[in-house]
Amino acid sequence: MEEDFDVRLVEEVKYYRPAPEYRKNAWTDDYERAYAEFLADPVGFWERQAHHLEWFRPWDSVREWDYPYARWFVGAKLNITHNCLDRHVADHRRNKVALIWRGDEGEERIYTYYKLWREVNRFANGLRSLGVKKGDRVCIYMPVVPEQAIAMLACARIGAVHSVVFGGFGAQALTTRLNDAETKVVITADIGYRRGKRIPLITIVEDAVIDAPSVERIVILRRQQEYPVDIHPERETDFYELMEGQPFECAPEVMDAEDPFFILYTSGSTGKPKGIVHACGGYMVGAHYTTRHVFDFKDNDVYWCTADPGWITGHTYVVYGPLMVGGTVVLVEGTPDYPDPGAFWKIIEDLGVTIFYTAPTAIRMFMKVGEQWPDKYDLRSLRVLGSVGEPLNPEAFEWYYRVIGKGRCPIVDTWWQTETGMQMITTMIGEPMRPGFAGRPIPGVVADVVNKAGESVPAGTGGLLVIREPWPAMLRTVYGDDARYRQYWETVPGCYLAGDLAIKDKDGYIMVIGRADDLIIVSGHNIGTAEVESALVSHHAVAEAAVIGKPDPLKGNQIKAFVILKLGQAPSERLKNDLVYQVRMMLGPFAVPSEIEFVDTLPKTRSGKIMRRVLKARELGVDPGDLSTLEE
Ligand code: WT7
């Protein structure tokens, strides 16, 4: 390596190099060549990827780019579940294990591809019997159980647009999402389990639908056999009763490549979450290609992604991607430290996991509790490690590499978003890894670090992370708000603006620093300051609130709230607790501020916008930067 003279990136450039066999045997066995081939013919590159999948009708054209709108595989017909299930059922994977589920209490259930295919089809027929049709929106609000994946696949089978809402969201957050998508059916469960405790879901749903008039029916998976919850037949249906008597064949809906596939909500910088809309064909190709190439997925791999299918990571890399490649997928309801901090390592040993994909916040928690936990287990089955959700800091990289991968396994630190649908930046298997840097854009993606005018900034200088060319799994719109979609492409001329700050080194490796906007990433969860603020302000004692993210060694960030009380209200511990409770009930436990400070004023611009940047700088004792717009 040449010396790096840049003043802003001063650390010594240190690369980790996996054994040469990794590269030799990888699906992408030469990054530079694959990237050059892609650049020379982007459309041909994606067309070759699409040929790995089965289609009911081929495309007339691969890509139509009418800035800022892209259409992919135009004219093609498909159903993703055909590639996830039918295709394997028809070949040597028929009896291969598709899903191994571990419950919170250690119980295990196994589905072969054939069994999963049958269950999906029966549930899909059940949904059809309720009158669910192509294009109808179905909300899935479930714990991590096989039925959660079955519900998603069943929607995909009949062309219903699923909107999966993470089971940790509160009633108000659920109502907002039900209404925004004009949801017809909600699929839920009586309870989820977390650290041995029962988390009621059905009561939250029953609460949430009171203000969601579009909801016609609630399908309930009843897990508690001894004390089953009541089914109110005028509105509710039991999950397995719905399947009973249904044939296990279900003709897949023939989907157009550009038909909407699913909606997934993500926090926005206003209080309203954005319903990110993905399309059938392009998402299928992007998910398949990245699962195969980024993880270097082989037929005998045992793959475990620890994300909840309620997030995009779970959509693309628990359910759709790994099933399309015919993989064996481990699905776990439990938490990393229950019943003890060895829980994850025990699962890896028990099941012989070869590819493990988790979040930096979990890795940092494991670092804190110590090496004695992983050291109790045999982790030699591991072949590839992955990370996603927030920056993997060099200390966490090194620990993950040494203690879990035993200095042997490549780490793919994958940067992407709900909006991108698929992984975009990482270090492909076998390539030299630079801790702290996600890596380079994968073949198929053109990423860059730019200034506000869209010009590349010099190596070593911070800038905005953008994508310069459309990609198949990109979002197509924001549900019901296309203007918000256009903002992604129209803020920086000619580029998709990701909303992150980044630095590129002279070799093209990208370090993602964090958000450039009003989002806070807490333990890998994307939380809008405005959502928390509006939950606080809805409390009768609160006049105004502002929320900032503060760096936290474990969670990445924690939330601090500044609150102005209404006249006649006095600050108290009791009130702090009430506010915490308010946020917990409205948004869910992960959005709860860890600090609340009562203040008399908030720094504002002359036009009345709260300057969170100033609050944050004061809190951290650093220079607040340009204050010319501050009103005093
Ligand atoms: C934001 C997207 C799709 C992953 C799950 C989160 C941050 C994601 C990385 C990474 C640094 C990362 C970014 C991004 N992020 N992966 N490898 N390194 N930051 O999806 O909720 O849509 O959040 O997560 O800030 O913009 P999401």
Side-chain angles (χ1 to χ4, degrees):
M1 282 296 148
E2 288 165 27
E3 273 205 61
D4 194 333
F5 288 112
D6 194 275
V7 285
R8 264 160 279 198
L9 273 179
V10 284
E11 346 93 77
E12 180 197 344
V13 180
K14 186 173 170 195
Y15 284 94
Y16 284 70
R17 291 171 198 279
E21 295 73 55
Y22 269 105
R23 190 171 198 245
K24 214 171 80 210
N25 299 325
W27 289 119
T28 298
D29 59 359
D30 184 343
Y31 169 80
E32 317 277 343
R33 198 196 61 219
Y35 201 83
E37 280 173 8
F38 153 67
L39 273 189
D41 178 14
V43 161
F45 174 89
W46 283 113
E47 183 158 41
R48 282 195 298 284
Q49 298 312 325
H51 278 302
H52 288 289
L53 294 154
E54 293 180 0
W55 303 74
F56 300 149
R57 181 191 185 278
W59 46 90
D60 302 315
S61 78
V62 174
R63 183 184 99 175
E64 277 169 19
W65 181 217
D66 177 15
Y67 172 86
Y69 299 101
R71 305 201 303 148
W72 286 85
F73 309 105
V74 180
K77 304 286 178 193
L78 69 130
N79 187 295
I80 196 168
T81 66
H82 174 88
N83 283 297
C84 291
L85 300 168
D86 301 59
R87 190 187 183 184
H88 308 312
V89 167
D91 75 10
H92 65 277
R93 297 197 183 101
R94 183 183 183 85
N95 299 313
K96 179 176 172 174
V97 173
L99 271 189
I100 308 177
W101 175 77
R102 280 281 176 104
D104 189 59
E105 300 299 298
E107 65 275 44
E108 186 171 289
R109 277 160 64 192
I110 292 179
Y111 289 73
T112 61
Y113 271 94
Y114 180 62
K115 180 168 174 186
L116 187 60
W117 174 81
R118 286 177 54 138
E119 298 285 280
V120 167
N121 283 348
R122 291 175 63 220
F123 193 66
N125 283 325
L127 287 177
R128 275 191 178 145
S129 77
L130 292 179
V132 180
K133 304 178 307 296
K134 177 176 171 179
D136 288 344
R137 272 82 56 211
V138 173
C139 173
I140 299 173
Y141 180 74
M142 295 183 87
V144 180
V145 286
E147 289 85 350
Q148 183 191 27
I150 288 168
M152 291 167 73
L153 290 157
C155 287
R157 187 77 174 177
I158 63 173
V161 174
H162 60 59
S163 156
V164 186
V165 175
F166 170 60
F169 275 109
Q172 148 106 24
L174 181 57
T175 303
T176 307
R177 287 157 177 77
L178 291 174
N179 285 329
D180 188 76
E182 301 151 290
T183 311
K184 188 166 175 179
V185 170
V186 183
I187 306 170
T188 189
D190 49 358
I191 52 162
Y193 289 93
R194 199 176 154 82
R195 297 200 170 90
K197 286 199 208 107
R198 289 154 201 243
I199 313 288
L201 294 182
I202 181 61
T203 50
I204 294 175
V205 172
E206 285 172 344
D207 233 19
V209 297
I210 293 173
D211 294 319
S214 60
V215 175
E216 289 171 15
R217 197 135 281 274
I218 305 168
V219 180
I220 308 168
L221 172 74
R222 287 191 286 181
R223 304 177 74 190
Q224 302 187 100
Q225 303 288 332
E226 280 173 69
Y227 302 102
V229 294
D230 284 342
I231 294 282
H232 306 105
E234 64 279 11
R235 247 290 177 84
E236 300 173 345
T237 305
D238 176 87
F239 192 99
Y240 279 101
E241 274 166 29
L242 182 62
M243 283 169 79
E244 239 165 53
Q246 294 293 345
F248 58 79
E249 264 154 346
C250 171
E253 194 72 32
V254 175
M255 305 299 285
D256 188 87
E258 281 298 316
D259 278 336
F261 176 17
F262 64 80
I263 302 173
L264 186 58
Y265 284 89
T266 188
S267 296
S269 38
T270 69
K272 198 169 168 254
K274 295 180 278 194
I276 302 300
V277 179
H278 283 286
C280 291
Y283 177 85
M284 176 171 84
V285 173
H288 176 267
Y289 160 69
T290 50
T291 303
R292 185 165 179 262
H293 287 253
V294 171
F295 296 119
D296 189 35
F297 216 118
K298 302 286 165 53
D299 217 9
N300 57 358
D301 274 316
V302 176
Y303 167 90
W304 181 20
C305 166
T306 64
D308 188 303
W311 305 111
I312 189 67
T313 306
H315 281 57
T316 310
Y317 301 111
V318 177
V319 180
Y320 294 111
L323 293 177
M324 272 192 277
V325 300
T328 294
V329 180
V330 176
L331 189 67
V332 175
E333 179 176 29
T335 32
D337 54 355
Y338 179 81
D340 64 47
F344 273 21
W345 319 124
K346 181 175 188 319
I347 292 172
I348 292 176
E349 178 185 280
D350 281 0
L351 303 177
V353 171
T354 60
I355 305 176
F356 179 61
Y357 192 32
T358 195
T361 185
I363 298 167
R364 290 192 294 262
M365 189 276 286
F366 291 129
M367 282 172 77
K368 200 178 95 180
V369 296
E371 295 176 28
Q372 70 274 20
W373 290 103
D375 284 354
K376 282 188 196 163
Y377 298 94
D378 184 346
L379 305 180
R380 280 174 303 175
S381 58
L382 289 171
R383 191 171 78 75
V384 171
L385 301 175
S387 171
V388 62
E390 55 186 315
L392 181 63
N393 49 303
E395 300 72 32
F397 178 102
E398 272 154 34
W399 189 90
Y400 199 25
Y401 187 74
R402 178 175 58 82
V403 179
I404 306 305
K406 313 290 179 213
R408 205 172 36 76
C409 304
I411 295 177
V412 286
D413 173 3
T414 58
W415 178 88
W416 60 296
Q417 307 177 297
T418 304
E419 293 88 337
T420 69
M422 65 178 220
Q423 297 155 336
M424 303 291 277
I425 298 170
T426 193
T427 300
M428 299 297 282
I429 301 287
E431 293 297 316
M433 297 168 286
R434 182 169 184 191
F437 288 70
R440 291 172 287 183
I442 65 170
V445 171
V446 184
D448 202 358
V449 180
V450 302
N451 60 22
K452 283 181 180 154
E455 300 151 348
S456 304
V457 297
T461 309
L464 303 168
L465 182 58
V466 298
I467 310 297
R468 288 198 182 277
E469 294 288 327
W471 63 101
M474 64 190 257
L475 75 163
R476 296 303 193 270
T477 187
V478 173
Y479 192 79
D481 194 352
D482 197 56
R484 268 180 128 182
Y485 166 76
R486 287 195 303 273
Q487 279 174 15
Y488 283 101
W489 285 95
E490 289 172 354
T491 310
V492 173
C495 301
Y496 166 85
L497 181 66
D500 284 330
L501 293 172
I503 295 187
K504 199 149 102 168
D505 74 6
K506 65 183 185 347
D507 300 317
Y509 279 60
I510 293 171
M511 171 195 274
V512 180
I513 300 165
R515 297 294 308 182
D517 56 13
D518 291 331
L519 295 186
I520 308 173
I521 304 208
V522 182
S523 299
H525 296 156
N526 206 326
I527 298 162
T529 49
E531 274 174 285
V532 182
E533 287 162 4
S534 66
L536 289 167
V537 172
S538 68
H539 189 279
H540 66 87
V542 175
E544 246 186 309
V547 155
I548 61 164
K550 266 173 84 171
D552 178 273
L554 272 186
K555 298 195 246 168
N557 291 288
Q558 51 164 315
I559 298 176
K560 170 154 187 186
F562 298 86
V563 172
I564 302 181
L565 294 177
K566 284 188 185 153
L567 231 59
Q569 297 289 338
S572 68
E573 274 312 302
R574 155 82 202 278
L575 187 51
K576 274 189 191 174
N577 289 338
D578 287 356
L579 293 177
V580 163
Y581 188 72
Q582 176 97 353
V583 177
R584 190 189 302 282
M585 288 305 139
M586 288 180 72
L587 299 177
F590 59 91
V592 165
S594 39
E595 235 182 294
I596 295 180
E597 185 179 327
F598 295 111
V599 293
D600 295 326
T601 56
L602 289 168
K604 284 187 186 164
T605 62
R606 285 167 225 279
S607 59
K609 276 194 191 159
I610 296 172
M611 293 182 82
R612 297 185 189 83
R613 169 167 67 83
V614 174
L615 279 173
K616 189 165 173 171
R618 281 183 194 159
E619 184 69 25
L620 304 179
V622 299
D623 176 16
D626 179 17
L627 292 180
S628 56
T629 57
L630 186 69
E631 173 207 59
E632 208 60 71

